[in-house]
Amino acid sequence: RELGLSQTTVWGVLRHQLVYKPYHLQLVQALRTNDKVKRVEFCDRMLKSMLDKLFLPRVIFSDEATFQLSGKVNRHNVRIWGLQNPRVTLKHVRDSLKVDVFCAISLTKVYGLLFFDENTVTGVTYLRMLQNWLVPQMNEDSGDYIFQQDRVPPHWHLNVRRFLDESLPQRWIGRMGNEDLALHFWPPMSPDLTPCNFFLWGFLKYAVYVPPLPTNLNDPRNRITAAVNSVMQDICHRAWDEFSYILDVICAAGGGHIDHL
């Protein structure tokens, strides 16, 4: 303004002479000092557990995600990986239809998909899913696995924790109370720690939000199902290798966010 330069001229200087690039600010969850301490403590515990080469292959990670028909995605799960930029402009539509999806992923397979019919996942619906759908599948595949869940309210439901204590004593990871029989606590504000977040949801959203965009709820469900069926064991193995790397980076970052690294 002081030099009387136009915005176009300033942009030309920034882009062509200084070779700057524009970057969007990333929206991440605010981390308090204690949150960072707990994240580092969790990573240290996991790395020590992983000295036993049989530990990490036993872990089954889980998560939920919402796929809006309008294309709006959870701001914590906005990474879309692919060989090409889909270059799709998505318009925000208030109260658009959505699909709530649950997945769990192990070193060898993806457990899913489960589409929640209810508009909101509650402790009751989550517990029913564990009892009738996920845990029977995991028991059928292996009698010695470790189940991970995050800290969202449905997972903190008393009956959910009671079920995990009785079914998987010392074999589950999550938000825990003093009397719970969990193996490890799950740190607060840490969606970036699971393969579901740093790999699976981005992989699925790349398959869903490509032209022609979904026009009804069956479209994203069919695309998500097809994408999950395409996940092979070698892809899961690469995600597990990335998990080990992420633990090291979070420790080096003092428990801070690593999305920008």
Side-chain angles (χ1 to χ4, degrees):
R1 283 195 296 264
E2 292 178 359
L3 298 175
L5 298 176
S6 68
Q7 182 173 318
T8 303
T9 300
V10 174
W11 281 4
V13 171
L14 291 173
R15 288 179 180 273
H16 303 300
Q17 296 186 30
L18 298 179
V19 197
Y20 283 5
K21 295 181 180 179
Y23 294 96
H24 290 290
L25 291 176
Q26 286 186 308
L27 295 177
V28 295
Q29 292 181 331
L31 289 173
R32 295 168 295 186
T33 301
N34 192 47
D35 295 337
K36 296 180 180 180
V37 171
K38 290 184 176 180
R39 279 164 60 86
V40 171
E41 182 181 349
F42 170 80
C43 292
D44 283 338
R45 287 188 179 186
M46 289 294 288
L47 289 169
K48 289 178 181 177
S49 296
M50 287 162 53
L51 293 175
D52 177 0
K53 299 299 183 182
L54 299 179
F55 172 79
L56 189 57
R58 296 170 56 206
V59 181
I60 299 175
F61 293 93
S62 72
D63 197 13
E64 298 98 353
T66 297
F67 292 74
Q68 300 274 2
L69 197 61
S70 66
K72 176 186 175 184
V73 297
N74 185 321
R75 65 186 176 92
H76 302 304
N77 300 315
V78 295
R79 306 171 191 85
I80 298 180
W81 296 87
L83 296 176
Q84 295 180 343
N85 186 341
R87 301 190 184 283
V88 178
T89 300
L90 302 174
K91 296 180 180 179
H92 172 62
V93 179
R94 299 191 64 180
D95 302 321
S96 70
L97 296 176
K98 63 181 181 178
V99 175
D100 291 321
V101 183
F102 175 89
C103 263
I105 183 171
S106 73
L107 180 63
T108 59
K109 65 182 289 187
V110 177
Y111 292 86
L113 296 156
L114 184 73
F115 297 101
F116 286 100
D117 294 328
E118 293 85 354
N119 290 330
T120 302
V121 179
T122 66
V124 174
T125 57
Y126 182 72
L127 175 61
R128 189 186 311 136
M129 180 276 297
L130 290 178
Q131 293 173 324
N132 300 330
W133 183 77
L134 181 61
V135 171
Q137 288 186 73
M138 296 189 296
N139 288 339
E140 184 177 345
D141 287 343
S142 171
D144 186 27
Y145 60 87
I146 299 167
F147 172 66
Q148 176 275 336
Q149 63 179 13
D150 60 24
R151 299 170 60 93
V152 297
H155 302 175
W156 177 241
H157 194 281
L158 178 60
N159 289 336
V160 170
R161 288 183 285 130
R162 183 179 293 131
F163 171 73
L164 293 175
D165 287 338
E166 294 173 354
S167 304
L168 303 171
Q170 298 300 322
R171 287 171 48 208
W172 65 278
I173 299 171
R175 184 181 178 187
M176 54 185 287
N178 293 331
E179 304 300 322
D180 285 327
L181 302 177
L183 178 64
H184 291 308
F185 70 92
W186 187 254
M189 308 300 179
S190 298
D192 55 341
L193 274 173
T194 73
C196 295
N197 181 277
F198 63 73
F199 156 65
L200 186 61
W201 298 136
F203 180 82
L204 297 184
K205 285 170 182 175
Y206 179 76
V208 171
Y209 298 122
V210 293
L213 293 179
T215 58
N216 58 68
L217 291 181
N218 285 331
D219 283 346
R221 291 187 180 192
N222 292 336
R223 295 184 186 188
I224 293 168
T225 301
V228 165
N229 291 336
S230 72
V231 177
M232 299 291 103
Q233 283 194 21
D234 63 319
I235 299 178
C236 295
H237 278 272
R238 290 201 295 270
W240 254 239
D241 292 340
E242 184 74 6
F243 176 72
S244 303
Y245 167 75
I246 284 177
L247 293 180
D248 285 327
V249 174
I250 288 178
C251 288
H257 290 296
I258 62 172
D259 304 68
H260 60 291
L261 299 178

